[in-house]
Amino acid sequence: MCGISGLYSCDGRDLDLARARRDIEAAGAAIAHRGPDASGTVMRAKVAFGHRRLAILDLNPRANQPMASPDGKVLVTYNGEIYNFRELRAELECAGHAFATTSDTEVLVCGYRHWGLGQTLARAAGMFAFALYDETAGKLFLARDRAGKKPLYWALDQGRLCFCSELRGIFAMRPGPRQVCREGLECYLALKYAPAPLTLVDGVKKVPPGCYLEFGTGEPKTAAYWSPLSKQPASLAYGQACEQVGVALDLAVRRRLVSDVPVCVFLSGGIDSSLIVDAAAVAGAAGLAAYTVGYTDMPGYNEFAYARLVAQRYPIDHRELRVSSGEVL
């Protein structure tokens, strides 16, 4: 988990860089828990980017962010992982592109240059939220992964666009009184969440999943690059469907095991996490750490017994953690 933040001038005027730096540093401090390994800030006339890094791929400082293209014209601050970045990198290398890091962030920058944003997002398999500034085009893009696993909030503030991984970062850059968004609250009470682009705060929006927003000097534009309803249902027999689900699950788990730091699994004892442990074991992840969490004061919610049944079958390092309900509420 990393954290991103930034400002962009929507009215064509240069940013007040002294104020922008204070705001970016305040937002970075508000989301420091998202990235303990490194922090970075880049200031330009029209844009300011901040980043808090949790290093997963390419632990070298060369992969720190914000990251720019070799000519400095494309700038990105990025949170998440592109799981098929190695395949995309190979394609780009065959097309003549060279890389200075082994990070997926650089693949994103290079992919944008080669394919454009829409095609890069269509090719990228992962969970991510990022801001990309194209100085030549004079545009800022905010993008979010297909399922919306990584958060990205934005708001307008006196000709400036503020964006951040968390609301507290938006509040740091856009201080002052806040009001509840009535429509967002109604959705929350009915659905237990506020669907994008709504939030519970008036004037603050979320980037919708599977979409990217384009900001220039006019009104922001929203483009959808993916929808779960975009493909026709396949005519498969039950056995074929099960086989395809198994192949997709195995591929997804293998991709998520690619890391320059240790990977662990949350083993709840349910079907989903048990299947993931099985797929990881088949992929050769011996000694994988698996954690099961239960309550000391609410034993009816514990699933230790089911998790142990799974852990006994595979060469994993299973660990049980017990907490009180008060520690997590």
Side-chain angles (χ1 to χ4, degrees):
M1 176 173 72
C2 296
I4 66 174
S5 60
L7 297 163
Y8 172 69
S9 174
C10 295
D11 58 11
R13 295 182 296 177
D14 289 353
L15 293 172
D16 178 340
L17 294 184
R19 177 190 174 193
R21 183 174 294 279
R22 289 195 300 270
D23 289 347
I24 291 295
E25 290 177 352
I31 60 171
H33 56 281
R34 299 183 68 92
D37 295 326
S39 62
T41 302
V42 172
M43 312 293 293
R44 301 278 179 86
K46 297 289 192 300
V47 70
F49 279 1
H51 190 267
R52 300 290 310 202
R53 186 183 184 199
L54 176 66
I56 303 295
L57 298 170
D58 194 344
L59 309 185
N60 194 294
R62 66 190 178 187
N64 286 350
Q65 297 184 51
M67 182 179 289
S69 59
D71 63 2
K73 298 295 185 181
V74 174
L75 182 68
V76 69
T77 183
Y78 161 75
N79 168 34
E81 287 188 64
I82 297 175
Y83 296 121
N84 62 335
F85 78 100
R86 288 177 172 174
E87 295 96 313
L88 298 180
R89 176 181 172 133
E91 284 189 60
L92 292 165
E93 287 176 328
C94 288
H97 295 277
F99 290 83
T101 74
T102 58
S103 70
D104 54 343
T105 310
E106 190 177 12
V107 171
L108 172 61
V109 174
C110 189
Y112 170 77
R113 274 288 180 80
H114 186 76
W115 293 307
L117 185 59
Q119 285 298 314
T120 300
L121 288 169
R123 293 167 181 262
M127 56 174 184
F128 49 78
F130 64 84
L132 185 149
Y133 176 59
D134 186 330
E135 185 175 321
T136 302
K139 294 180 179 179
L140 175 83
F141 301 95
L142 300 182
R144 199 169 174 208
D145 61 71
R146 290 166 174 79
K149 293 178 70 174
K150 292 298 184 181
L152 187 52
Y153 298 89
W154 66 276
L156 295 177
D157 176 41
Q158 299 177 346
R160 304 187 312 170
L161 166 73
C162 311
F163 66 86
C164 192
S165 297
E166 296 188 19
L167 283 172
R168 69 185 75 190
I170 296 288
F171 299 156
M173 293 183 285
R174 190 173 174 256
R178 296 183 288 272
Q179 294 184 334
V180 172
C181 173
R182 295 180 63 88
E183 187 178 1
L185 178 60
E186 289 173 0
C187 288
Y188 180 81
L189 294 175
L191 305 173
K192 296 187 178 180
Y193 80 106
L198 296 173
T199 70
L200 294 179
V201 184
D202 191 37
V204 181
K205 298 181 180 180
K206 290 183 288 194
V207 177
C211 294
Y212 66 88
L213 274 57
E214 177 184 322
F215 295 86
T217 54
E219 290 295 316
K221 302 175 184 177
T222 302
Y225 67 88
W226 180 84
S227 168
L229 304 178
S230 60
K231 294 183 179 180
Q232 293 294 324
S235 299
L236 297 174
Y238 179 77
Q240 292 175 309
C242 290
E243 182 178 354
Q244 287 200 11
V245 169
V247 170
L249 176 63
D250 288 342
L251 176 60
V253 171
R254 288 177 184 274
R255 282 175 167 171
R256 284 155 178 78
L257 292 174
V258 176
S259 175
D260 293 328
V261 294
V263 176
C264 65
V265 175
F266 175 61
L267 178 57
S268 69
I271 293 175
D272 295 352
S273 63
S274 300
L275 286 172
I276 290 171
V277 168
D278 177 80
V282 170
L288 182 74
Y291 294 87
T292 303
V293 180
Y295 295 107
T296 56
D297 54 340
M298 294 193 299
Y301 285 90
N302 292 341
E303 298 183 353
F304 289 126
Y306 301 109
R308 290 170 190 154
L309 289 174
V310 176
Q312 291 168 3
R313 294 175 57 89
Y314 303 103
I316 61 175
D317 179 14
H318 184 222
R319 308 176 189 183
E320 297 179 355
L321 302 178
R322 290 171 171 79
V323 298
S324 69
S325 58
E327 292 179 80
V328 297
L329 295 179

